[in-house]
Amino acid sequence: MEPLNFPSYPFRFKNRENKLYIFDVIRKKFVVLQPEEWVRQHVVHYLLNDKNYPLSHINVEKQLLVNNLKKRYDVVVYRPDGEILLLVECKSPQINISQDVFDQIARYNLQLKANYLMVTNGQNHYYCKMDLEEEMYTFLKTIPKYGP
């Protein structure tokens, strides 16, 4: 896999039946290493190691209903009260971050109501703080570290 625009992390890999797998510390299992998964695993380690979010507050690849359609979010971080603090949309490094990607995460966030959004293809990262009442967002340089 190609290097991404994240710090390097100590990933665990294994090869089975000519497929490469990476260990997901959230799901506690090895998953097939696809380009989007490579980005998702970097995001998880970034949140854990660089932003100090607790492992128990992070969830990956869960289903949600958007306009009666089954969709899957990539990563969410919960606040201690159970509300969603951060929603992350991961794309393969070959996918350009376009308005369509922002529209996708905005549709998901109508349901989830996260305070912060992150969109990344592993090379380019975009961060937004949501104003849910005004239905607006402000771009940020980064997301906040975990803290009370």
Side-chain angles (χ1 to χ4, degrees):
M1 288 285 152
E2 68 182 86
L4 300 179
N5 185 17
F6 283 102
S8 62
Y9 301 109
F11 296 112
R12 292 174 43 206
F13 300 97
K14 78 175 181 180
N15 211 327
R16 186 171 65 211
E17 299 173 5
N18 292 327
K19 286 186 183 176
L20 188 59
Y21 290 76
I22 188 168
F23 189 76
D24 181 334
V25 297
I26 305 299
R27 292 177 273 189
K28 295 179 177 46
K29 67 179 184 176
F30 282 93
V31 294
V32 176
L33 183 56
Q34 299 288 342
E36 185 177 314
E37 189 64 45
W38 183 234
V39 173
R40 183 171 24 256
Q41 291 306 312
H42 276 80
V43 167
V44 167
H45 284 265
Y46 171 73
L47 294 171
L48 291 169
N49 299 311
D50 297 276
K51 295 299 181 177
N52 301 321
Y53 288 98
L55 182 87
S56 61
H57 290 213
I58 301 173
N59 207 328
V60 298
E61 284 264 285
K62 293 290 183 192
Q63 185 172 291
L64 73 149
L65 280 177
V66 178
N67 297 328
N68 293 321
L69 299 173
K70 291 180 182 179
K71 301 291 183 180
R72 293 182 83 75
Y73 62 71
D74 286 308
V75 181
V76 297
V77 176
Y78 290 95
R79 295 190 323 224
D81 66 4
E83 297 294 316
I84 296 177
L85 175 68
L86 170 68
L87 171 62
V88 183
E89 179 61 30
C90 301
K91 294 296 182 190
S92 167
Q94 293 74 31
I95 303 293
N96 288 324
I97 304 296
S98 65
Q99 185 63 49
D100 288 342
V101 177
F102 280 100
D103 292 346
Q104 176 185 359
I105 197 171
R107 280 191 303 276
Y108 290 5
N109 204 42
L110 287 173
Q111 173 97 19
L112 299 173
K113 300 192 182 331
N115 298 103
Y116 295 92
L117 304 179
M118 176 181 176
V119 176
T120 181
N121 63 4
Q123 301 299 336
N124 301 299
H125 319 301
Y126 299 94
Y127 310 97
C128 303
K129 180 171 180 22
M130 299 301 302
D131 180 337
L132 297 171
E133 288 181 17
E134 297 292 325
E135 296 183 352
M136 296 174 43
Y137 55 86
T138 305
F139 281 97
L140 305 171
K141 291 186 185 211
T142 189
I143 53 173
K145 284 191 171 202
Y146 180 79

